């Protein structure tokens, strides 16, 4: 697959070690489906935010990141 035509992704992980492990599994699935990792969330076609719903700080960071991305990305 031509990497210039491939859709890109970026994963942001907040929370515990289990979240980081889950993000690695998500990344494997995205790669298996032909997506290519972007340099950052601004350049990505797909942004995955993986957060711990048990920790309020992780949830707060997640909603803050979503708001920031919504202002930054028009698509």
């Amino acid at each position: 697959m031509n990497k210039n035509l491939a859709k890109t992704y970026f994963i942001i992980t907040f929370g515990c070690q289990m979240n980081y492990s889950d993000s690695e599994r998500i990344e494997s699935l995205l790669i298996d489906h032909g997506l290519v990792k972007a340099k950052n969330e601004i350049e990505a076609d797909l942004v995955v935010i993986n957060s711990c719903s048990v920790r309020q700080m992780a949830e707060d960071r997640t909603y803050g990141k979503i708001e920031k991305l919504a202002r930054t990305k028009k698509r």
Side-chain angles (χ1 to χ4, degrees):
M1 176 177 261
N2 183 346
K3 287 190 176 189
N4 293 332
L5 299 177
K7 295 290 183 183
T8 58
Y9 71 90
F10 193 82
I11 300 174
I12 301 167
T13 307
F14 299 123
C16 65
Q17 283 302 116
M18 183 59 79
N19 290 88
Y20 287 94
S21 175
D22 290 342
S23 289
E24 289 175 354
R25 294 160 94 187
I26 293 167
E27 183 170 40
S28 291
L29 290 171
L30 295 173
I31 291 169
D32 288 348
H33 281 86
L35 280 81
V36 176
K37 187 173 184 176
K39 294 178 187 175
N40 57 54
E41 66 264 21
I42 302 304
E43 295 180 10
D45 296 309
L46 170 67
V47 177
V48 176
I49 302 176
N50 183 13
S51 176
C52 177
S53 63
V54 175
R55 305 280 185 210
Q56 187 61 45
M57 179 179 255
E59 284 292 284
D60 293 343
R61 290 176 70 193
T62 298
Y63 285 109
K65 180 60 83 171
I66 291 169
E67 290 173 6
K68 182 179 177 183
L69 286 170
R71 288 190 304 268
T72 305
K73 295 179 81 66
K74 299 297 183 198
R75 49 190 171 110

